[in-house]
PDB file of all heavy atoms in Angstrom:
ATOM      1  N   PHE E 610      90.177  89.063 181.576  1.00  0.00           N
ATOM      2  CA  PHE E 610      91.056  88.756 180.444  1.00  0.00           C
ATOM      3  C   PHE E 610      91.107  87.247 180.198  1.00  0.00           C
ATOM      4  O   PHE E 610      90.981  86.780 179.057  1.00  0.00           O
ATOM      5  CB  PHE E 610      92.455  89.293 180.729  1.00  0.00           C
ATOM      6  CG  PHE E 610      93.392  89.219 179.561  1.00  0.00           C
ATOM      7  CD1 PHE E 610      93.264  90.087 178.495  1.00  0.00           C
ATOM      8  CD2 PHE E 610      94.397  88.272 179.524  1.00  0.00           C
ATOM      9  CE1 PHE E 610      94.122  90.020 177.404  1.00  0.00           C
ATOM     10  CE2 PHE E 610      95.259  88.198 178.443  1.00  0.00           C
ATOM     11  CZ  PHE E 610      95.123  89.074 177.385  1.00  0.00           C
ATOM     12  N   VAL E 611      91.278  86.476 181.274  1.00  0.00           N
ATOM     13  CA  VAL E 611      91.320  85.012 181.164  1.00  0.00           C
ATOM     14  C   VAL E 611      89.980  84.485 180.654  1.00  0.00           C
ATOM     15  O   VAL E 611      89.930  83.578 179.814  1.00  0.00           O
ATOM     16  CB  VAL E 611      91.659  84.377 182.531  1.00  0.00           C
ATOM     17  CG1 VAL E 611      91.485  82.856 182.485  1.00  0.00           C
ATOM     18  CG2 VAL E 611      93.086  84.723 182.934  1.00  0.00           C
ATOM     19  N   GLU E 612      88.879  85.077 181.137  1.00  0.00           N
ATOM     20  CA  GLU E 612      87.541  84.653 180.726  1.00  0.00           C
ATOM     21  C   GLU E 612      87.321  84.864 179.233  1.00  0.00           C
ATOM     22  O   GLU E 612      86.789  83.995 178.539  1.00  0.00           O
ATOM     23  CB  GLU E 612      86.501  85.447 181.527  1.00  0.00           C
ATOM     24  CG  GLU E 612      85.069  85.037 181.273  1.00  0.00           C
ATOM     25  CD  GLU E 612      84.081  85.867 182.067  1.00  0.00           C
ATOM     26  OE1 GLU E 612      84.449  86.318 183.176  1.00  0.00           O
ATOM     27  OE2 GLU E 612      82.956  86.071 181.580  1.00  0.00           O
ATOM     28  N   ILE E 613      87.750  86.029 178.728  1.00  0.00           N
ATOM     29  CA  ILE E 613      87.585  86.328 177.301  1.00  0.00           C
ATOM     30  C   ILE E 613      88.454  85.409 176.449  1.00  0.00           C
ATOM     31  O   ILE E 613      88.020  84.915 175.394  1.00  0.00           O
ATOM     32  CB  ILE E 613      87.918  87.808 177.027  1.00  0.00           C
ATOM     33  CG1 ILE E 613      86.793  88.699 177.546  1.00  0.00           C
ATOM     34  CG2 ILE E 613      88.120  88.062 175.533  1.00  0.00           C
ATOM     35  CD1 ILE E 613      87.040  90.181 177.367  1.00  0.00           C
ATOM     36  N   LEU E 614      89.683  85.158 176.891  1.00  0.00           N
ATOM     37  CA  LEU E 614      90.568  84.263 176.138  1.00  0.00           C
ATOM     38  C   LEU E 614      90.007  82.848 176.082  1.00  0.00           C
ATOM     39  O   LEU E 614      90.081  82.179 175.041  1.00  0.00           O
ATOM     40  CB  LEU E 614      91.960  84.256 176.769  1.00  0.00           C
ATOM     41  CG  LEU E 614      92.808  85.532 176.590  1.00  0.00           C
ATOM     42  CD1 LEU E 614      94.161  85.362 177.249  1.00  0.00           C
ATOM     43  CD2 LEU E 614      92.993  85.851 175.107  1.00  0.00           C
ATOM     44  N   LYS E 615      89.450  82.366 177.188  1.00  0.00           N
ATOM     45  CA  LYS E 615      88.834  81.030 177.212  1.00  0.00           C
ATOM     46  C   LYS E 615      87.643  80.955 176.266  1.00  0.00           C
ATOM     47  O   LYS E 615      87.453  79.977 175.552  1.00  0.00           O
ATOM     48  CB  LYS E 615      88.388  80.683 178.641  1.00  0.00           C
ATOM     49  CG  LYS E 615      89.521  80.286 179.570  1.00  0.00           C
ATOM     50  CD  LYS E 615      88.985  79.895 180.942  1.00  0.00           C
ATOM     51  CE  LYS E 615      90.118  79.424 181.857  1.00  0.00           C
ATOM     52  NZ  LYS E 615      89.618  79.066 183.211  1.00  0.00           N
ATOM     53  N   ARG E 616      86.842  82.050 176.255  1.00  0.00           N
ATOM     54  CA  ARG E 616      85.674  82.090 175.379  1.00  0.00           C
ATOM     55  C   ARG E 616      86.093  82.083 173.906  1.00  0.00           C
ATOM     56  O   ARG E 616      85.488  81.393 173.081  1.00  0.00           O
ATOM     57  CB  ARG E 616      84.862  83.340 175.692  1.00  0.00           C
ATOM     58  CG  ARG E 616      83.516  83.396 174.969  1.00  0.00           C
ATOM     59  CD  ARG E 616      82.757  84.639 175.360  1.00  0.00           C
ATOM     60  NE  ARG E 616      82.505  84.669 176.797  1.00  0.00           N
ATOM     61  CZ  ARG E 616      82.009  85.728 177.421  1.00  0.00           C
ATOM     62  NH1 ARG E 616      81.750  86.837 176.745  1.00  0.00           N
ATOM     63  NH2 ARG E 616      81.790  85.689 178.716  1.00  0.00           N
ATOM     64  N   LYS E 617      87.145  82.853 173.587  1.00  0.00           N
ATOM     65  CA  LYS E 617      87.639  82.889 172.205  1.00  0.00           C
ATOM     66  C   LYS E 617      88.188  81.527 171.786  1.00  0.00           C
ATOM     67  O   LYS E 617      87.988  81.082 170.659  1.00  0.00           O
ATOM     68  CB  LYS E 617      88.732  83.954 172.059  1.00  0.00           C
ATOM     69  CG  LYS E 617      88.201  85.383 172.133  1.00  0.00           C
ATOM     70  CD  LYS E 617      89.283  86.397 171.848  1.00  0.00           C
ATOM     71  CE  LYS E 617      89.667  86.398 170.388  1.00  0.00           C
ATOM     72  NZ  LYS E 617      90.625  87.464 170.056  1.00  0.00           N
ATOM     73  N   LYS E 618      88.871  80.855 172.719  1.00  0.00           N
ATOM     74  CA  LYS E 618      89.417  79.528 172.435  1.00  0.00           C
ATOM     75  C   LYS E 618      88.300  78.518 172.196  1.00  0.00           C
ATOM     76  O   LYS E 618      88.368  77.684 171.285  1.00  0.00           O
ATOM     77  CB  LYS E 618      90.295  79.073 173.608  1.00  0.00           C
ATOM     78  CG  LYS E 618      91.107  77.826 173.328  1.00  0.00           C
ATOM     79  CD  LYS E 618      92.034  77.527 174.502  1.00  0.00           C
ATOM     80  CE  LYS E 618      92.876  76.286 174.211  1.00  0.00           C
ATOM     81  NZ  LYS E 618      93.776  75.968 175.351  1.00  0.00           N
ATOM     82  N   LEU E 619      87.228  78.614 173.015  1.00  0.00           N
ATOM     83  CA  LEU E 619      86.082  77.723 172.858  1.00  0.00           C
ATOM     84  C   LEU E 619      85.377  77.971 171.536  1.00  0.00           C
ATOM     85  O   LEU E 619      85.012  77.017 170.826  1.00  0.00           O
ATOM     86  CB  LEU E 619      85.111  77.932 174.031  1.00  0.00           C
ATOM     87  CG  LEU E 619      83.831  77.086 174.028  1.00  0.00           C
ATOM     88  CD1 LEU E 619      84.184  75.599 174.084  1.00  0.00           C
ATOM     89  CD2 LEU E 619      82.930  77.459 175.195  1.00  0.00           C
ATOM     90  N   LEU E 620      85.188  79.254 171.166  1.00  0.00           N
ATOM     91  CA  LEU E 620      84.553  79.580 169.890  1.00  0.00           C
ATOM     92  C   LEU E 620      85.381  79.081 168.712  1.00  0.00           C
ATOM     93  O   LEU E 620      84.831  78.608 167.707  1.00  0.00           O
ATOM     94  CB  LEU E 620      84.363  81.099 169.788  1.00  0.00           C
ATOM     95  CG  LEU E 620      83.239  81.715 170.645  1.00  0.00           C
ATOM     96  CD1 LEU E 620      83.293  83.230 170.569  1.00  0.00           C
ATOM     97  CD2 LEU E 620      81.878  81.200 170.188  1.00  0.00           C
ATOM     98  N   ARG E 621      86.719  79.183 168.845  1.00  0.00           N
ATOM     99  CA  ARG E 621      87.591  78.699 167.778  1.00  0.00           C
ATOM    100  C   ARG E 621      87.439  77.184 167.601  1.00  0.00           C
ATOM    101  O   ARG E 621      87.402  76.669 166.480  1.00  0.00           O
ATOM    102  CB  ARG E 621      89.042  79.052 168.115  1.00  0.00           C
ATOM    103  CG  ARG E 621      89.974  78.993 166.894  1.00  0.00           C
ATOM    104  CD  ARG E 621      91.394  79.385 167.250  1.00  0.00           C
ATOM    105  NE  ARG E 621      91.481  80.759 167.711  1.00  0.00           N
ATOM    106  CZ  ARG E 621      91.851  81.118 168.928  1.00  0.00           C
ATOM    107  NH1 ARG E 621      92.156  80.202 169.829  1.00  0.00           N
ATOM    108  NH2 ARG E 621      91.912  82.382 169.258  1.00  0.00           N
ATOM    109  N   LYS E 622      87.335  76.471 168.732  1.00  0.00           N
ATOM    110  CA  LYS E 622      87.161  75.015 168.668  1.00  0.00           C
ATOM    111  C   LYS E 622      85.817  74.652 168.050  1.00  0.00           C
ATOM    112  O   LYS E 622      85.716  73.735 167.233  1.00  0.00           O
ATOM    113  CB  LYS E 622      87.263  74.416 170.074  1.00  0.00           C
ATOM    114  CG  LYS E 622      88.676  74.346 170.620  1.00  0.00           C
ATOM    115  CD  LYS E 622      88.689  73.677 171.993  1.00  0.00           C
ATOM    116  CE  LYS E 622      90.112  73.560 172.536  1.00  0.00           C
ATOM    117  NZ  LYS E 622      90.124  72.907 173.875  1.00  0.00           N
ATOM    118  N   LEU E 623      84.757  75.398 168.443  1.00  0.00           N
ATOM    119  CA  LEU E 623      83.430  75.129 167.898  1.00  0.00           C
ATOM    120  C   LEU E 623      83.378  75.403 166.403  1.00  0.00           C
ATOM    121  O   LEU E 623      82.765  74.650 165.641  1.00  0.00           O
ATOM    122  CB  LEU E 623      82.392  75.990 168.631  1.00  0.00           C
ATOM    123  CG  LEU E 623      82.111  75.616 170.095  1.00  0.00           C
ATOM    124  CD1 LEU E 623      81.194  76.651 170.740  1.00  0.00           C
ATOM    125  CD2 LEU E 623      81.483  74.228 170.187  1.00  0.00           C
ATOM    126  N   ASN E 624      84.020  76.497 165.980  1.00  0.00           N
ATOM    127  CA  ASN E 624      84.056  76.816 164.545  1.00  0.00           C
ATOM    128  C   ASN E 624      84.825  75.771 163.762  1.00  0.00           C
ATOM    129  O   ASN E 624      84.429  75.393 162.655  1.00  0.00           O
ATOM    130  CB  ASN E 624      84.697  78.192 164.338  1.00  0.00           C
ATOM    131  CG  ASN E 624      83.809  79.318 164.836  1.00  0.00           C
ATOM    132  OD1 ASN E 624      82.599  79.180 164.897  1.00  0.00           O
ATOM    133  ND2 ASN E 624      84.410  80.436 165.216  1.00  0.00           N
ATOM    134  N   THR E 625      85.933  75.289 164.343  1.00  0.00           N
ATOM    135  CA  THR E 625      86.727  74.239 163.688  1.00  0.00           C
ATOM    136  C   THR E 625      85.931  72.953 163.575  1.00  0.00           C
ATOM    137  O   THR E 625      85.921  72.292 162.530  1.00  0.00           O
ATOM    138  CB  THR E 625      88.029  73.985 164.486  1.00  0.00           C
ATOM    139  OG1 THR E 625      88.753  75.197 164.612  1.00  0.00           O
ATOM    140  CG2 THR E 625      88.881  72.959 163.778  1.00  0.00           C
ATOM    141  N   ALA E 626      85.225  72.608 164.675  1.00  0.00           N
ATOM    142  CA  ALA E 626      84.420  71.385 164.675  1.00  0.00           C
ATOM    143  C   ALA E 626      83.289  71.481 163.658  1.00  0.00           C
ATOM    144  O   ALA E 626      82.990  70.524 162.935  1.00  0.00           O
ATOM    145  CB  ALA E 626      83.858  71.141 166.074  1.00  0.00           C
ATOM    146  N   SER E 627      82.660  72.674 163.580  1.00  0.00           N
ATOM    147  CA  SER E 627      81.575  72.884 162.621  1.00  0.00           C
ATOM    148  C   SER E 627      82.082  72.781 161.190  1.00  0.00           C
ATOM    149  O   SER E 627      81.417  72.197 160.322  1.00  0.00           O
ATOM    150  CB  SER E 627      80.951  74.257 162.857  1.00  0.00           C
ATOM    151  OG  SER E 627      79.955  74.529 161.902  1.00  0.00           O
ATOM    152  N   PHE E 628      83.286  73.330 160.950  1.00  0.00           N
ATOM    153  CA  PHE E 628      83.879  73.270 159.612  1.00  0.00           C
ATOM    154  C   PHE E 628      84.190  71.830 159.218  1.00  0.00           C
ATOM    155  O   PHE E 628      83.928  71.405 158.091  1.00  0.00           O
ATOM    156  CB  PHE E 628      85.155  74.115 159.584  1.00  0.00           C
ATOM    157  CG  PHE E 628      85.884  74.080 158.271  1.00  0.00           C
ATOM    158  CD1 PHE E 628      85.402  74.778 157.169  1.00  0.00           C
ATOM    159  CD2 PHE E 628      87.048  73.324 158.120  1.00  0.00           C
ATOM    160  CE1 PHE E 628      86.065  74.741 155.959  1.00  0.00           C
ATOM    161  CE2 PHE E 628      87.715  73.277 156.920  1.00  0.00           C
ATOM    162  CZ  PHE E 628      87.220  73.987 155.832  1.00  0.00           C
ATOM    163  N   VAL E 629      84.744  71.052 160.158  1.00  0.00           N
ATOM    164  CA  VAL E 629      85.080  69.654 159.890  1.00  0.00           C
ATOM    165  C   VAL E 629      83.823  68.851 159.596  1.00  0.00           C
ATOM    166  O   VAL E 629      83.789  68.027 158.673  1.00  0.00           O
ATOM    167  CB  VAL E 629      85.839  69.039 161.095  1.00  0.00           C
ATOM    168  CG1 VAL E 629      85.989  67.537 160.922  1.00  0.00           C
ATOM    169  CG2 VAL E 629      87.199  69.693 161.248  1.00  0.00           C
ATOM    170  N   GLU E 630      82.744  69.100 160.380  1.00  0.00           N
ATOM    171  CA  GLU E 630      81.480  68.394 160.157  1.00  0.00           C
ATOM    172  C   GLU E 630      80.912  68.718 158.779  1.00  0.00           C
ATOM    173  O   GLU E 630      80.382  67.852 158.085  1.00  0.00           O
ATOM    174  CB  GLU E 630      80.470  68.786 161.239  1.00  0.00           C
ATOM    175  CG  GLU E 630      80.765  68.178 162.604  1.00  0.00           C
ATOM    176  CD  GLU E 630      79.768  68.633 163.653  1.00  0.00           C
ATOM    177  OE1 GLU E 630      78.805  69.351 163.284  1.00  0.00           O
ATOM    178  OE2 GLU E 630      79.940  68.275 164.827  1.00  0.00           O
ATOM    179  N   LYS E 631      81.043  69.986 158.378  1.00  0.00           N
ATOM    180  CA  LYS E 631      80.536  70.391 157.082  1.00  0.00           C
ATOM    181  C   LYS E 631      81.296  69.698 155.960  1.00  0.00           C
ATOM    182  O   LYS E 631      80.703  69.212 154.985  1.00  0.00           O
ATOM    183  CB  LYS E 631      80.649  71.917 156.938  1.00  0.00           C
ATOM    184  CG  LYS E 631      79.964  72.473 155.696  1.00  0.00           C
ATOM    185  CD  LYS E 631      80.144  73.979 155.614  1.00  0.00           C
ATOM    186  CE  LYS E 631      79.387  74.676 156.731  1.00  0.00           C
ATOM    187  NZ  LYS E 631      79.447  76.146 156.575  1.00  0.00           N
ATOM    188  N   ILE E 632      82.616  69.626 156.091  1.00  0.00           N
ATOM    189  CA  ILE E 632      83.461  68.971 155.079  1.00  0.00           C
ATOM    190  C   ILE E 632      83.136  67.478 155.008  1.00  0.00           C
ATOM    191  O   ILE E 632      82.983  66.907 153.923  1.00  0.00           O
ATOM    192  CB  ILE E 632      84.956  69.175 155.391  1.00  0.00           C
ATOM    193  CG1 ILE E 632      85.319  70.661 155.266  1.00  0.00           C
ATOM    194  CG2 ILE E 632      85.818  68.328 154.464  1.00  0.00           C
ATOM    195  CD1 ILE E 632      85.172  71.225 153.865  1.00  0.00           C
ATOM    196  N   CYS E 633      83.029  66.879 156.193  1.00  0.00           N
ATOM    197  CA  CYS E 633      82.729  65.447 156.240  1.00  0.00           C
ATOM    198  C   CYS E 633      81.352  65.166 155.646  1.00  0.00           C
ATOM    199  O   CYS E 633      81.148  64.163 154.946  1.00  0.00           O
ATOM    200  CB  CYS E 633      82.767  64.929 157.663  1.00  0.00           C
ATOM    201  SG  CYS E 633      84.442  64.921 158.360  1.00  0.00           S
TER     202      CYS E 633
END
């Protein structure tokens, strides 16, 4: 459960970073 939550959190950060890079 902890492993999946960490993975989801990491994916959310990567998606946010990718979105910010695209906007910039």
Side-chain angles (χ1 to χ4, degrees):
F610 189 74
V611 171
E612 184 181 330
I613 286 178
L614 288 181
K615 284 183 177 179
R616 188 178 300 171
K617 289 186 72 174
K618 190 175 181 181
L619 179 61
L620 286 173
R621 198 178 297 116
K622 285 183 178 180
L623 290 173
N624 290 334
T625 304
S627 177
F628 177 75
V629 171
E630 287 178 4
K631 188 181 292 186
I632 294 296
C633 291

